[in-house]
Each structure stands twice: as C-alpha cells, then as structure tokens.
C-alpha cells in the first residue's frame, strides 16, 4: 500500500488492478495520508486558493429520464420552472456586485432554450460582464450548438461523464447513448472549451472496478474540471430505496482524482455539505478547490432538486458569499473571486488568440 500511494503521488497513475487493490485495503491512517498528499498536490498548482463560481439554475425541465435524478421527465411531482433571460441577467448582476467573476448556467436538458435563445443569454452576459467567465451545464446538444455557444463567448462546459463503464451508464440512463455522451465530451474539448467531467460515488451496482474505470478515464481524458459527489437518493425516482453514497467514500475518490489529474479544478460539492455539515471543508482538505454558491432566485431554488434536502435553499446570495468565505478561511484557505481559469489554460482572450 505504501508503494501504491507513492506511485500515485509521484507518477499520477495506477493500473485498474492497483486501484482496486488500493481501495480494498485502505486504512484510516492511509486515508489521512492520501488526503494530505492530495491537498499538497493541489497547492502546488493553485496555492491556498479556493475558486468561487456563482451558480444560476435557470430551468428544471429535462427531456431525459435518468434513474437517479429528481429532474427526470417522469417525475410528475416536480414543480417545473424556467427563468427568463432578464431574470438570468439579474442573478448575474447581483453576483457581480458581490464580487463574482465566474458564472455557471445550469439546467436540465431543456430544448425550449434553443440555440438562438442561449446565444442571446451568453452574448449579453459577456457584454455586461466582460471580465467574467461563463460556464454552461445544459447537457447533450449538437456540435453546432456547442460551437455557437463558444463563438458567443462561453468559456467552459460541464458535462459529467457519469460512468466510464458502458453497462453501468446504460443501466442508469434509459434512452441515452454512452457513445454520444463520450463524443460530446470529445467535441467540447476539440472546440476549445475548458471541459468538466465527473461522476457520482455510491450508485447502485457501482463496484471498485467501475470506480477504477472512472479514474482511468479522467486520467486519459484530462478534463480541466472534475466534479465528484456522493449519490443522494430522491424519493420520486426508481432508486429511492438505494443506500446512497457516503462522504468518506467520496473523499477517497476526490483525493485519488486529484493525484491522477493533479492540475484539475475540482468542486467541493453542495451534496457533500448536504450529507455532512463540514462536508465541503473535508473535500477541500482532500484536494478540492472550487465552490459554487447559488445565485438563483429564492423562490425557485427548492424546485431544482436533483436530490432532496439540499442545503442553502433559504440563504440570499450575500449570506452565501460571506458564509462560504468564512468557512474557507477557517479551513486555512482563501476564497478567490476571479475568473479562476485552469492553471494551464491560455490567458489570451479568444479574439487575441484568433489574431
């Protein structure tokens, strides 16, 4: 185990068999060492900075029917909503006044937000807040859509791969294509986005073999951003009786992903804070370095329920901003409100790069 931990830390790679062995034989002492090495590795690239993105969840309509998600189209109990472009820009304006220079627009796969509509939103965000980064997280779309968003000014795109194992992916995503998911990620990277991938920990049927495949996919694909969080069952989904993931198991995956893709930006997810009052702080101590406070209007926040009992549903953006900054400071880190680009991403603007 010592040799495997050293190899992971120094060479940033393990084989599938080595990952499985490592996970099966982890002791509490080895976990502490793993987390420490992951934290030290993160600091080599990003110092003590924890980057903040203002999250705007602008629609909870979704055409997909993923087995674990509260937004799935079959959930007739979901209270659906869509923000208007004006409302989205108002959320960003409030966030900008609070110091945010990075915004994440997230929704279900809602095709009522057409290419034309999304181009208008992105262009206006970049016009109003030219020194800010815009990230999209709106699921699987066409290559033409992705290119149009990039040309409009979008900087980043989040699309979790969900499961590198084809059988596991297909068991959780009825009617969806594993090949299309992977192709979308490849296209996004080819276009020039800073790309985010990732997965959940504790899904029904998930094994150490599946987790090894996820880590090796990330090591090979090398996304600029990696989102890893625990699976939390939703009562209106087919997986409502599942046990769900744990904070501890998720921390192990965060730390291992940090060591396998050492320069990635990795969020301490709200799901971690939902399962544990200091779950996000634990994630930061295990190698995460991004937080995403919610800027969505208070009246719609509870409706964006990927899972239930999410924290911070009643906090206004100013309170979220001060709360997360205090939590990060107590943990020995510094909240960074800049664009927070990947450390190796070109600093030139798209226009300058084109010239």
């Amino acid at each position: 185990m010592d040799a495997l931990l050293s190899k992971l830390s120094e060479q940033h790679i393990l084989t599938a068999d080595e990952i499985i062995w490592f996970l099966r034989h982890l002791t509490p002492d080895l976990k502490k060492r793993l987390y420490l090495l992951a934290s030290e590795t993160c600091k080599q690239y990003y110092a003590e900075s924890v980057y903040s993105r203002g999250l705007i969840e602008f629609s909870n309509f979704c055409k997909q029917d993923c087995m674990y998600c509260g937004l799935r189209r079959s959930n007739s109990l979901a209270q659906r909503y869509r923000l208007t472009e004006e409302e989205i820009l108002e959320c960003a304006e409030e966030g900008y006044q609070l110091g945010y220079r990075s915004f994440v627009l997230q929704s279900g796969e809602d095709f009522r937000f057409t290419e034309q509509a999304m181009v208008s939103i992105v262009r206006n965000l970049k016009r109003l807040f030219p020194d800010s980064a815009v990230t999209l997280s709106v699921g699987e779309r066409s290559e033409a859509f992705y290119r149009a968003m990039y040309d409009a000014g979008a900087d980043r795109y989040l699309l979790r791969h969900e499961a590198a194992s084809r059988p596991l992916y297909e068991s959780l995503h009825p009617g969806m294509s594993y090949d299309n998911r992977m192709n979308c990620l490849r296209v996004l990277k080819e276009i020039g986005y800073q790309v985010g991938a990732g997965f959940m920990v504790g899904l029904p049927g998930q094994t150490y073999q599946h987790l090894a495949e996820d880590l090796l996919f990330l090591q090979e694909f090398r996304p600029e951003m990696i989102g890893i969080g625990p699976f939390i069952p939703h009562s209106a989904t087919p997986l409502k009786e599942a046990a769900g993931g744990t904070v501890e198991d998720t921390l192990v995956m965060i730390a291992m992903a940090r060591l396998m893709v050492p320069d990635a930006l990795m969020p301490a997810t709200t799901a971690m804070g939902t399962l544990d009052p200091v779950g996000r702080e634990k994630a930061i101590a295990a190698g995460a370095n991004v937080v995403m406070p919610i800027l969505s209007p208070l009246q719609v926040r509870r409706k964006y329920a990927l899972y239930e009992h999410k924290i911070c549903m009643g906090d206004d953006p100013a309170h979220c901003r001060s709360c997360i900054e205090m939590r990060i400071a107590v943990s020995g880190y510094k909240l960074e409100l800049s664009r927070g680009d990947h450390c190796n991403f070109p600093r030139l603007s798209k226009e300058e790069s084109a010239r």
Side-chain angles (χ1 to χ4, degrees):
M1 289 295 287
D2 286 341
L4 290 178
L5 188 55
S6 295
K7 180 180 178 181
L8 181 59
S9 175
E10 296 167 9
Q11 301 179 33
H12 308 300
I13 186 65
L14 293 177
T15 67
D17 287 342
E18 287 172 335
I19 293 171
I20 293 168
W21 176 270
F22 187 79
L23 293 174
R24 284 177 175 162
H25 295 87
L26 264 178
T27 63
D29 178 64
L30 281 165
K31 285 181 183 179
K32 290 179 182 178
R33 291 165 57 192
L34 172 67
Y35 301 157
L36 180 60
L37 285 169
S39 176
E40 290 174 346
T41 298
C42 183
K43 290 176 182 178
Q44 291 174 16
Y45 293 87
Y46 297 101
E48 283 77 26
S49 294
V50 174
Y51 299 92
S52 187
R53 285 78 161 92
L55 177 62
I56 303 170
E57 297 165 329
F58 65 92
S59 170
N60 70 346
F61 283 84
C62 190
K63 69 188 286 285
Q64 304 296 357
D65 215 20
C66 304
M67 302 288 281
Y68 48 79
C69 183
L71 303 190
R72 67 196 311 260
R73 68 170 185 268
S74 294
N75 180 8
S76 60
L77 300 177
Q79 300 177 49
R80 306 293 180 175
Y81 74 92
R82 293 184 176 100
L83 299 184
T84 64
E85 177 173 338
E86 182 180 8
E87 288 171 326
I88 293 169
L89 296 177
E90 287 174 355
C91 291
E93 173 64 32
E94 184 173 11
Y96 193 86
Q97 294 302 321
L98 289 169
Y100 294 105
R101 296 298 181 266
S102 181
F103 301 105
V104 179
L105 271 58
Q106 186 174 78
S107 71
E109 292 198 13
D110 183 359
F111 280 50
R112 281 280 294 275
F113 281 90
T114 63
E115 178 181 314
Q116 181 180 7
M118 291 303 301
V119 163
S120 177
I121 292 168
V122 172
R123 281 181 176 166
N124 280 319
L125 280 170
K126 299 297 283 192
R127 176 180 60 82
L128 293 169
F129 317 110
D131 56 341
S132 299
V134 173
T135 301
L136 297 179
S137 178
V138 297
E140 296 181 11
R141 296 289 189 113
S142 67
E143 180 175 345
F145 177 93
Y146 292 149
R147 290 191 180 278
M149 295 308 106
Y150 188 77
D151 291 342
D155 303 276
R156 307 170 188 149
Y157 203 102
L158 305 179
L159 184 70
R160 284 187 175 183
H161 69 276
E162 303 293 2
S165 161
R166 181 187 296 270
L168 181 60
Y169 180 91
E170 292 177 346
S171 73
L172 296 167
H173 303 89
M176 296 179 70
S177 164
Y178 173 88
D179 291 326
N180 188 61
R181 192 72 165 196
M182 292 301 181
N183 184 62
C184 284
L185 283 165
R186 287 191 291 269
V187 166
L188 288 164
K189 178 163 273 196
E190 289 169 3
I191 290 171
Y193 285 98
Q194 295 178 61
V195 180
F199 60 96
M200 286 186 289
V201 179
L203 287 162
Q206 190 180 59
T207 65
Y208 288 151
Q209 176 66 41
H210 294 137
L211 294 172
E213 291 178 46
D214 285 320
L215 290 172
L216 289 173
F217 167 75
L218 293 172
Q219 203 277 335
E220 179 183 4
F221 184 66
R222 298 197 69 81
E224 284 75 31
M225 301 166 286
I226 296 174
I228 300 175
F231 162 59
I232 302 177
H234 190 293
S235 63
T237 70
L239 303 183
K240 61 185 178 182
E241 302 296 337
T246 68
V247 167
E248 197 65 29
D249 288 344
T250 306
L251 290 173
V252 170
M253 288 296 105
I254 289 172
M256 294 187 73
R258 167 61 65 197
L259 293 175
M260 294 183 78
V261 191
D263 58 357
L265 291 156
M266 299 180 61
T269 66
T270 303
M272 292 291 277
T274 299
L275 291 184
D276 184 330
V278 290
R280 287 175 293 181
E281 291 91 327
K282 289 179 178 179
I284 290 169
N289 65 336
V290 172
V291 291
M292 296 200 298
I294 302 172
L295 295 176
S296 310
L298 293 176
Q299 65 267 25
V300 304
R301 286 193 192 179
R302 295 187 186 279
K303 299 176 183 179
Y304 199 86
L306 305 175
Y307 54 89
E308 293 163 308
H309 312 299
K310 188 192 295 186
I311 59 172
C312 304
M313 291 297 95
D315 296 339
D316 63 73
H319 180 269
C320 282
R321 158 81 164 74
S322 59
C323 174
I324 200 71
E325 184 168 20
M326 179 191 68
R327 286 172 172 269
I328 289 169
V330 169
S331 300
Y333 294 82
K334 177 185 176 183
L335 183 67
E336 176 64 62
L337 291 169
S338 67
R339 282 174 51 101
D341 289 300
H342 183 272
C343 62
N344 293 326
F345 211 75
R347 292 293 186 264
L348 293 177
S349 69
K350 292 173 186 174
E351 293 79 8
E352 290 170 326
S353 296
R355 291 198 297 267

